[in-house]
Amino acid sequence: MLGVIVATITIALIVNLILKKFHLPTIIGYIFTGTIIAYTFGLHDAVNNHDLKEIAEFGVVFLMFTIGLEFSIEHLKKMKREVFFTGSLQILVTTVFVFTVCLFVLDFDVKSSLVIGAALSLSSTAIVLKTFNETKEINKPYGKRVLGILIMQDIAVIPILLMISFFNMNEDQSVAYMIFETTIAAAILLGLLYVCGKYLLEPFLNHVSGTESDELFVASVLLLAIGSSYVAHYFGFSYSLGAFIAGMMISETKFKHQVEADLIPFRNILLGVFFITVGMQINFTIIADYIWIILLLLPVLMGIKYLIIYSLVRIDDNKRVAFKTAVSLIQIGEFSLAILELARSQDLVDPTYSQILIVTIVISMVLTPIILKNLSKAAAALVPEDIMMVCNAHNVNPDTENHVVVLGYGRFGQAIVEELKVFGQKYVIIEHNIKFFQLGQDRNEPIVFGNAAHKHILNSVNIKQSSAVIVAVNNPDALHIICEAVDELTHNTKTIVTVTSEAEKSTLEGLHLEHIIVETNQIAKSVVDEVMYCRLD
């Protein structure tokens, strides 16, 4: 056993070092590692080992716990539409669609069709949230949409498992009693976690912190994460749901950041184990036997999920957000694997169909990190800006000159505008995100709606007569396109651009830019300048 562990770590390290050269995420490396050790040591059946499944699942538990730390109860209340409306509709519509196809086209029985439909409606919490958490996309509009839907999917696992129990219960068992029992359990669980979080949590952490022992504090964090998930499991719910609620409770305390820092190493290690177990489920024999079915099934399933999620998100948001949200969730997730395995063991799904679906699901999960890595590029290339009639946009006087043109009204753009106001400098803003545009309008800013990469939009703000152009955009691809458009009009002699690194700066060569600020260099200089003013008493 020790030899297998050493081999697994070695293979994971080598595979990830190779993949890093191609800028691919470690998730794929772990999945490939699982496939390699499964064939090298004959461990395909080990993935069904109960203890290994429990250990692997706690990677998702710690992930949901740390996600919960970022979302307070008030924050979650603001996301109720994403969670309960969009999330619920996505699960319902996907389940009904797949159920209909399975029942009337593929001629499956009702129970099998329902289980398969429900399983395929879920996406991968582990892969999507881990990637978004690392890239900070979780805080962007589509990131919040994705999180809301995934939270609802996690909650939906409970009724799905309940449904499987209904299908297998004895004649002397009552459906009404089972529903009543589940409702009471949910009320007790939420009440217990709420009371503990509101009245006991902070005093407990204060007491532990007072010992000034790092070991005790880390042990307390592990107790909170594992204990809350165990309590949820005891009442018949998923481990990760309890962990998420506990994380939200801690987010209300001053210990939020320390708890997150202490938990991340455990989370990443156990997530690695989880992804290795996913890779162990790739069976090349099944792929070879049913290759054409899998090749047809994979794009069909992902396409169905894309269309459903895109249509639902588009009700409330623009095309770009809907596209990114839908593409982020087109895979089928880890809970689907567990549901299909449970259904197979209880003779609700044919073993052959179950294996085909499991392999298809795992392949969709393998593709997800690559898709997410190229999400912004795909959105920029495939999804044009929404054509909107925006009323009351600021009109620039044709005689306006010596003004500053600010391209972008995100957080950075807003900070620039505030500084320009201090100096009494005239300025005009161009913004193509409708939410930021409306924010600028609410603040009575001179703001124009449009894409700064379009020359007619730039001309509408008299860019040639401006004293300076500040590009306040944080998307490297969009930044390059905008600078090209500005270059054609002003040769970029008065364009000021901020980039995050020297590598990003090098991509802008040839655009006549004379004023490029590298954030890391500027911050480092500011910090050292402050150090020079520090004095020891």
Side-chain angles (χ1 to χ4, degrees):
M1 186 62 187
L2 184 60
V4 174
I5 294 172
V6 172
T8 301
I9 296 172
T10 304
I11 293 168
L13 182 62
I14 293 171
V15 170
N16 277 313
L17 285 173
I18 294 171
L19 292 180
K20 278 297 178 184
K21 290 183 177 293
F22 300 96
H23 305 290
L24 293 174
T26 55
I27 293 172
I28 296 179
Y30 288 131
I31 293 174
F32 283 172
T33 300
T35 306
I36 293 168
I37 64 169
Y39 277 92
T40 305
F41 298 101
L43 296 177
H44 278 298
D45 292 332
V47 76
N48 297 318
N49 180 279
H50 178 73
D51 293 334
L52 181 59
K53 279 186 173 180
E54 294 274 297
I55 294 169
E57 189 173 344
F58 267 88
V60 184
V61 165
F62 285 152
L63 174 66
M64 290 302 289
F65 185 82
T66 52
I67 294 295
L69 289 172
E70 299 298 326
F71 287 85
S72 64
I73 295 173
E74 288 301 317
H75 198 154
L76 192 61
K77 284 179 182 176
K78 294 177 182 177
M79 291 177 60
K80 58 182 179 290
R81 184 170 178 83
E82 288 89 341
V83 176
F84 298 107
F85 177 75
T86 310
S88 299
L89 269 182
Q90 181 270 318
I91 295 165
L92 185 63
V93 173
T94 307
T95 300
V96 170
F97 185 88
V98 176
F99 167 79
T100 305
V101 172
C102 289
L103 187 65
F104 296 107
V105 179
L106 302 178
D107 201 27
F108 291 179
D109 61 74
V110 173
K111 291 181 180 180
S112 295
S113 300
L114 264 177
V115 170
I116 292 171
L120 298 183
S121 69
L122 307 179
S123 302
S124 178
T125 300
I127 294 177
V128 177
L129 291 190
K130 182 180 188 299
T131 305
F132 278 12
N133 217 30
E134 289 173 350
T135 59
K136 305 301 180 188
E137 288 174 284
I138 197 75
N139 298 315
K140 294 182 179 179
Y142 64 90
K144 292 177 181 177
R145 289 274 184 187
V146 167
L147 176 63
I149 293 171
L150 287 173
I151 290 171
M152 191 63 231
Q153 289 182 0
D154 200 37
I155 295 170
V157 173
I158 301 161
I160 293 171
L161 295 177
L162 203 60
M163 177 181 70
I164 293 174
S165 300
F166 291 159
F167 290 158
N168 285 279
M169 69 182 183
N170 300 324
E171 292 181 2
D172 58 343
Q173 290 178 301
S174 167
V175 173
Y177 177 75
M178 190 175 287
I179 294 174
F180 174 75
E181 190 178 47
T182 304
T183 304
I184 294 298
I188 294 172
L189 172 65
L190 292 174
L192 185 63
L193 290 176
Y194 177 78
V195 170
C196 291
K198 189 169 182 66
Y199 300 107
L200 303 177
L201 188 59
E202 190 148 14
F204 170 69
L205 290 175
N206 275 325
H207 183 70
V208 174
S209 181
T211 65
E212 298 184 357
S213 169
D214 292 338
E215 293 88 348
L216 285 178
F217 193 84
V218 171
S220 301
V221 171
L222 292 174
L223 173 64
L224 292 170
I226 297 172
S228 57
S229 60
Y230 175 76
V231 170
H233 182 69
Y234 177 81
F235 283 101
F237 303 99
S238 68
Y239 286 118
S240 55
L241 183 62
F244 179 78
I245 295 171
M248 285 200 303
M249 296 298 180
I250 293 176
S251 73
E252 306 284 350
T253 73
K254 61 178 176 288
F255 298 101
K256 166 185 171 179
H257 299 293
Q258 185 59 47
V259 168
E260 185 175 19
D262 288 337
L263 201 64
I264 283 175
F266 298 97
R267 182 195 70 186
N268 290 343
I269 290 170
L270 289 171
L271 272 175
V273 175
F274 170 79
F275 292 123
I276 287 172
T277 62
V278 170
M280 290 168 70
Q281 296 179 70
I282 295 180
N283 192 320
F284 289 112
T285 303
I286 292 172
I287 293 175
D289 291 342
Y290 301 98
I291 182 65
W292 297 114
I293 294 176
I294 292 170
L295 287 177
L296 176 65
L297 195 58
L298 183 64
V300 167
L301 288 177
M302 295 174 82
I304 289 169
K305 292 193 77 170
Y306 171 83
L307 290 173
I308 291 171
I309 296 170
Y310 178 88
S311 301
L312 292 173
V313 176
R314 188 71 181 88
I315 295 171
D316 296 320
D317 226 316
N318 60 43
K319 292 178 183 177
R320 186 71 63 90
V321 171
F323 173 82
K324 287 187 173 183
T325 304
V327 171
S328 299
L329 296 172
I330 56 175
Q331 77 293 133
I332 303 101
E334 55 278 352
F335 286 125
S336 306
L337 298 173
I339 289 166
L340 287 171
E341 182 58 31
L342 178 63
R344 183 200 61 77
S345 67
Q346 298 187 13
D347 298 322
L348 291 173
V349 176
D350 183 275
T352 302
Y353 299 152
S354 173
Q355 279 297 308
I356 292 171
L357 286 170
I358 285 173
V359 170
T360 305
I361 290 167
V362 171
I363 294 172
S364 79
M365 293 170 74
V366 172
L367 294 174
T368 300
I370 300 171
I371 292 171
L372 295 180
K373 180 179 172 60
N374 296 286
L375 184 59
S376 294
K377 289 182 180 178
L382 299 175
V383 184
E385 294 299 329
D386 289 343
I387 300 172
M388 299 181 181
M389 295 302 292
V390 182
C391 300
N392 302 320
H394 180 76
N395 293 313
V396 179
N397 190 304
D399 298 326
T400 301
E401 59 182 9
N402 293 324
H403 57 298
V404 174
V405 177
V406 181
L407 306 182
Y409 194 62
R411 284 185 297 177
F412 182 43
Q414 292 168 38
I416 288 170
V417 165
E418 292 304 313
E419 290 297 320
L420 291 173
K421 288 178 182 177
V422 171
F423 290 97
Q425 172 65 50
K426 288 190 300 182
Y427 61 88
V428 178
I429 308 161
I430 296 178
E431 176 57 66
H432 72 282
N433 183 306
I434 189 64
K435 291 183 179 178
F436 288 133
F437 170 78
Q438 288 172 342
L439 177 64
Q441 277 197 317
D442 293 341
R443 294 175 176 176
N444 295 316
E445 298 286 6
I447 189 167
V448 173
F449 181 84
N451 189 339
H454 295 165
K455 286 184 283 187
H456 69 278
I457 298 291
L458 296 174
N459 279 323
S460 73
V461 297
N462 288 7
I463 195 168
K464 292 179 181 178
Q465 284 74 44
S466 67
S467 60
V469 179
I470 303 175
V471 186
V473 176
N474 60 6
N475 183 323
D477 297 315
L479 178 68
H480 197 281
I481 295 170
I482 289 170
C483 288
E484 284 181 344
V486 176
D487 184 41
E488 291 185 32
L489 298 175
T490 68
H491 301 294
N492 277 329
T493 53
K494 51 192 176 184
T495 304
I496 303 166
V497 177
T498 301
V499 295
T500 57
S501 64
E502 291 290 344
E504 193 175 322
K505 178 180 177 180
S506 65
T507 63
L508 299 175
E509 289 179 359
L511 293 177
H512 309 107
L513 289 162
E514 298 176 9
H515 311 285
I516 302 180
I517 300 170
V518 181
E519 280 184 13
T520 47
N521 295 351
Q522 197 67 25
I523 293 170
K525 183 179 183 303
S526 298
V527 170
V528 173
D529 286 344
E530 290 296 321
V531 169
M532 294 298 102
Y533 284 103
C534 291
R535 295 290 184 269
L536 293 174
D537 294 332

